[in-house]
């Protein structure tokens, strides 16, 4: 199929027509006669969005999400590449598992599904997993993470940082000091004290970030900090970058919008790891994302079955789905506030994550010769989030009923229209 | 709104009730007056004062709150409780005279009889009211009545007492649109 | 007022109404009337997912004196001890026609989950949830203080109260801070810094680490239970050191004001946070707290259930 997209607003604000044939952007003149014309007047185009942090739950927890349902959710949210976290059952700590996930993604065919490999075997935090075998596998893993758990042992962390240099890999750290966060339920602050829920202090996150940027400096390796949530964490990353340390950082959409106030009615739909923090943290995260201290937005899309949320707060699972709301939250918190342009959005949600993870055909300029991975957004329209109308298999969105700006109307993956009409 | 029992008539009615009670029970010694809060309690105190003025003694007087025994609890929001103060002699073997301001459906008195039954077994129970306005819903009648005032169901009878309302009078008014 | 989940649900006037109602109920049930017909035909479920004999018995006695039908649902060790089935349990209680559920649960906020969801339509009364709140305990504590120290006042204006011990994990302390300050008392929290909640400096209370400085300045002192497992979690080095700094012993009792009262929500760890002679001294109102508890819980049940059913449930 071939397409001519007319009157598109490019990330830099200019207007252009884009021609797509086979899987690439082509000159309009080389389009076959039977191409479809789509008028994008008034609509914003972005390079296909890239998520570095997605929980797809397959293998092991298919009742919450599968690679196929997660892929559909992704393209509805404008993503053309997602990164399947390793905390499946079995854990993605061998070439076999990562290849299985990769092939499930290929079979779904809606977007690229890049597996992330576990840093340690079974996420046990003690023994390195088969990092090399995963890197050399068909899945070509470059990002390694024990996400959900912190690589707590400093020696293991050091070795992992050193070892991935051989593959130009990166360690994505879930920064959570475990002893300071035993049984922790939410941000440690006035609200946790009032609610009688065990607190999760900011220092538990910041202490690991501080340690790991120093380890990254020492090992001259690449470190990525998952889901930054505190103002102090932003400061440490800013300091590390100024020192020339190879560290990158991500923030989730929910941490750009929600605060621990939402815990007040004990609805575990707002229970997430790391926890929702304070208004001052939210503002620091937005400022950090705007000035580039935080490199990317990543969803931490974490599907959970309804029974794991339909219960008391302290026994509920951590996590929120986010693929279908991510772009809208970024528009609401960053673009509508004037903190970022759509060129910045293209960078934080596509170009930078693709660069960090070395995803070759993603985050590229929308230019002739490049693979046509493309997202179209109607930025003038709002929509109301309805958990029952989402494509993810789970309904645990904290944004149910929120009115959000920006409707994804089309997603093109490898030149195919995988979402929209 | 019009006044149907002005202050002087009210005083006379109270004194008359005191005389009637004494006449029926042959003196004050065996009588216990129990007023139903709020206005019934004040009327009981006044009747007791009248009895004491006549007899020269101290007639037993107390209060009996009926709130927890009402049969219409589930049709309205819960009310604050009012005091129940039973004189030291109790109710066993006594002639209890219940005192209330207005006798209407009779349901308050039924509740009072139930409440009294929880406390003990009086020799007899009688009822004194300042106003009987008719429209009984239960087989209950007053033994001592200050004034019978025929009413329609929708009319509103209001007993004002100095202790609560700053003035002594009984008024009648047209009811609202019901 | 449909539920009693937190002291925050009560206005000052509503709190006083509960205390006044309890006082009247105490007088009539101590005196002439042992049993009232008020809640005849109403079903109250005691849903206790955590051991608490005294609170359960207190609510049961209160319900029975109001002629309610009481169903005890003690779920320790059963499926309820796993949170997944709280919803199923609630729906079962709904099907059984519970007009009210008195819930004790180890998870903070569990009563909110019962009340907020469309799981059941009855009233929910929080009888202690995790480390969050225990509103009926605070109400009986306030009732006890008003009775002894109120000098006829409706509220607790000007009263000075010290709450001593494990504030961090205490639902009794949380509810008491909210209620006592609402009623005008000055509250001082006394504890080692490890057992004070984060951000306690923003609470409307005074905080002290020194019990001996506080003792002579209070009208009521409330000792909180220290759970043995806190020692293993390194909140303080040893029971002996805790007792030395924060225990109520004979010398400290003697340093109290002549009219000051000693309170404890129970169960006590005699010898740890309170010595036997302090607990049994003439100043102690600990036993009376228990009997006041029944009156206060009767008042709560009457005010929640005695009137017309409140709109908004599923039925």
């Amino acid at each position: 199929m071939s397409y001519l997209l007319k009157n598109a607003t490019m990330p830099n604000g200019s207007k252009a027509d884009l021609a797509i044939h086979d899987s690439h952007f082509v000159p309009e003149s080389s389009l076959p006669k039977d191409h479809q014309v789509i008028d994008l007047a008034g609509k914003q185009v972005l390079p296909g969005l890239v998520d570095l942090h997605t929980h797809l739950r397959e293998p092991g927890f298919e009742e919450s999400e599968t690679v196929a349902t997660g892929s559909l959710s992704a393209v509805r949210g404008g993503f053309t590449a997602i990164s399947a976290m390793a905390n499946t059952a079995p854990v993605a700590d061998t070439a076999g598992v990562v290849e299985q996930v990769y092939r499930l993604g290929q079979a779904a065919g809606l977007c690229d599904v890049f597996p992330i490999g576990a840093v340690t075997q079974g996420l046990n935090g003690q023994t390195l997993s088969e990092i090399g075998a995963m890197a050399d596998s068909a899945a070509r893993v470059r990002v390694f993470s024990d996400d959900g758990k912190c690589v707590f042992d400093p020696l293991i962390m050091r070795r992992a940082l050193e070892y991935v240099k051989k593959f130009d890999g990166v360690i994505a750290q879930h920064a959570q000091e475990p002893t300071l966060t035993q049984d922790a339920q939410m941000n440690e602050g006035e609200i946790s004290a009032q609610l009688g829920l065990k607190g999760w202090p900011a220092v538990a996150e910041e202490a690991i970030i501080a340690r790991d940027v120093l380890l990254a400096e020492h090992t001259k390796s690449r470190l990525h900090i998952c889901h930054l949530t505190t103002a102090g964490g932003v400061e440490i990353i800013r300091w590390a970058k100024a020192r020339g340390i190879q560290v990158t950082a991500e923030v989730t959409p929910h941490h750009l919008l929600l605060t621990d106030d939402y815990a007040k009615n004990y609805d575990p739909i707002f229970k997430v790891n790391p926890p929702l923090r304070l208004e001052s943290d939210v503002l620091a995260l937005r400022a950090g994302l705007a000035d580039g201290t935080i490199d990317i937005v990543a969803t931490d899309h974490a599907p959970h079955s309804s029974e794991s949320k339909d219960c008391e707060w302290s026994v509920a699972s951590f996590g929120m789905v986010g693929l279908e709301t991510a772009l809208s939250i970024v528009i609401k918190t960053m673009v509508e506030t004037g903190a970022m342009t759509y060129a910045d959005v293209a960078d934080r949600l596509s170009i930078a994550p693709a660069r960090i993870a070395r995803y070759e055909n993603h985050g590229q300029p929308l230019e002739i010769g490049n693979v046509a991975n493309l997202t179209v957004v109607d930025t003038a329209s709002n929509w109301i989030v309805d958990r029952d109308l989402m494509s993810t298999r789970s309904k645990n969105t904290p944004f149910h009923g929120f009115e959000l700006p920006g409707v994804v109307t089309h997603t093109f993956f490898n030149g195919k229209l995988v979402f929209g009409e | 709104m019009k006044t149907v029992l002005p202050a002087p008539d009210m005083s006379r009615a109270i004194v008359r009730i005191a005389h009637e009670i004494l006449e029926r029970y042959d003196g004050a010694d065996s009588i216990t007056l129990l007023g139903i809060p709020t206005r019934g309690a004040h009327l009981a105190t006044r009747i007791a004062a009248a009895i004491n003025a006549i007899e020269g003694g101290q007639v037993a007087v107390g209060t009996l709150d009926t709130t927890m025994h009402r049969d219409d609890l589930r049709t309205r929001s819960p009310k604050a409780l009012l005091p129940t103060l039973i004189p030291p002699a109790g109710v066993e073997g006594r002639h209890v005279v219940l005192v209330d301001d207005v006798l209407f459906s009779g349901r308050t008195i039924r509740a009072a009889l139930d409440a009294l039954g929880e406390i003990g077994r009086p020799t007899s129970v009688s009822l004194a009211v300042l106003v009987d306005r008719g429209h009984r819903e239960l087989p209950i009648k007053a033994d001592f009545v200050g004034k019978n005032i025929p009413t329609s169901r929708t009319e509103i009878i209001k007993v004002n007492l100095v202790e609560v309302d700053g003035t002594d009078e009984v008024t009648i008014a047209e009811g609202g649109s019901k | 007022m449909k539920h009693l989940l937190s002291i925050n649900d009560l206005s000052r006037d509503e709190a006083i109404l509960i205390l006044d109602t309890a006082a009247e109920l105490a007088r009539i049930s101590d005196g002439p009337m042992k049993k009232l017909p008020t809640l005849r035909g109403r079903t109250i479920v005691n849903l206790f997912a955590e051991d608490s004999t005294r609170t359960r018995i207190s609510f049961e006695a209160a319900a029975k004196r109001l002629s309610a039908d009481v169903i005890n649902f003690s779920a320790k060790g059963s499926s309820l001890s796993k949170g997944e089935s709280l919803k199923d349990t609630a729906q079962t209680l709904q099907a059984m026609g519970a007009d009210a559920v008195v819930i004790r649960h180890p998870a903070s906020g569990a009563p909110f989950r019962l009340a907020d969801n469309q799981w059941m339509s009855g009233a929910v009364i929080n009888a202690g949830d995790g480390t969050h709140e225990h509103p009926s305990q605070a109400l009986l504590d306030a009732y006890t203080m008003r009775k002894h120290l109120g000098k006829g006042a409706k509220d607790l204006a000007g009263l000075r109260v010290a709450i001593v011990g494990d504030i961090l994990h205490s639902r009794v302390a949380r509810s008491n801070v909210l209620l006592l300050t609402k009623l005008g008392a000055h509250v001082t929290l006394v504890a080692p810094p490890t057992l004070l909640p984060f951000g306690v400096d923003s609470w409307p209370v005074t905080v002290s680490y020194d019990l001996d400085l506080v003792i002579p300045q209070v009208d009521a002192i409330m000792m909180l239970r220290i759970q043995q497992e806190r020692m293993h979690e390194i909140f303080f080095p040893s029971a002996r050191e805790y007792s030395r700094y924060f225990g109520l012993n004979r010398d400290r009792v003697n340093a109290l004001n002549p009219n000051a009262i000693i309170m404890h929500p129970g169960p006590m760890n005699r010898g740890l946070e309170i010595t036997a002679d302090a607990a049994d001294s003439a100043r102690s109102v600990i036993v009376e707290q228990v009997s006041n508890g029944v009156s206060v819980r009767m008042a709560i049940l009457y005010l929640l259930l005695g009137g017309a059913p409140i709109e908004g449930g599923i039925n």
Side-chain angles (χ1 to χ4, degrees), chain B:
Chain B
M1 191 179 78
K2 69 175 187 192
T3 301
V4 288
L5 192 68
D9 294 358
M10 190 188 287
S11 298
R12 277 193 288 276
I14 287 168
V15 173
R16 178 170 52 75
I17 289 172
H19 278 289
E20 287 175 8
I21 291 171
L22 284 171
E23 202 165 41
R24 161 146 353 164
Y25 297 112
D26 201 16
D29 293 346
S30 58
I31 300 172
T32 296
L33 297 169
L34 290 180
I36 296 169
T38 306
R39 289 176 184 75
H42 293 296
L43 286 169
T45 307
R46 290 204 204 177
I47 293 169
I51 288 174
N52 294 343
I54 299 160
E55 292 283 287
Q58 283 290 326
V59 69
V61 60
T63 61
L64 181 67
D65 181 36
T66 62
T67 307
M68 302 297 269
H69 292 80
R70 295 192 66 92
D71 62 5
D72 58 356
L73 280 170
R74 294 181 74 159
T75 64
R76 49 169 91 178
S77 58
K79 296 203 314 182
L81 300 189
L82 297 164
T84 293
L85 301 162
I86 304 298
V91 299
E92 295 282 336
R94 308 285 296 172
H95 293 295
V96 169
V97 182
L98 298 173
V99 182
D100 205 358
D101 52 354
V102 179
L103 179 58
F104 188 15
S105 68
R107 288 178 189 272
T108 301
I109 304 306
R110 185 209 60 79
L113 289 169
D114 281 359
L116 195 54
E118 295 286 336
I119 297 169
R121 185 176 181 282
T123 302
S124 74
V125 183
S126 59
L127 173 62
V129 295
L130 184 62
V131 173
D132 182 348
R133 63 170 293 186
H135 305 291
R136 216 75 75 238
E137 294 166 4
L138 294 171
I140 280 170
K141 74 170 183 60
D143 301 90
F144 313 102
V145 179
K147 186 176 173 69
N148 283 298
I149 302 177
T151 59
S152 77
R153 274 184 182 277
T154 56
E155 281 173 316
I156 296 167
I157 291 278
K158 175 78 172 56
V159 172
N160 293 305
L161 297 178
V162 168
E163 297 91 326
V164 188
D165 311 292
T167 173
D168 275 351
E169 65 173 355
V170 179
T171 62
I172 186 164
E174 288 303 317
S177 53
K178 243 197 169 172

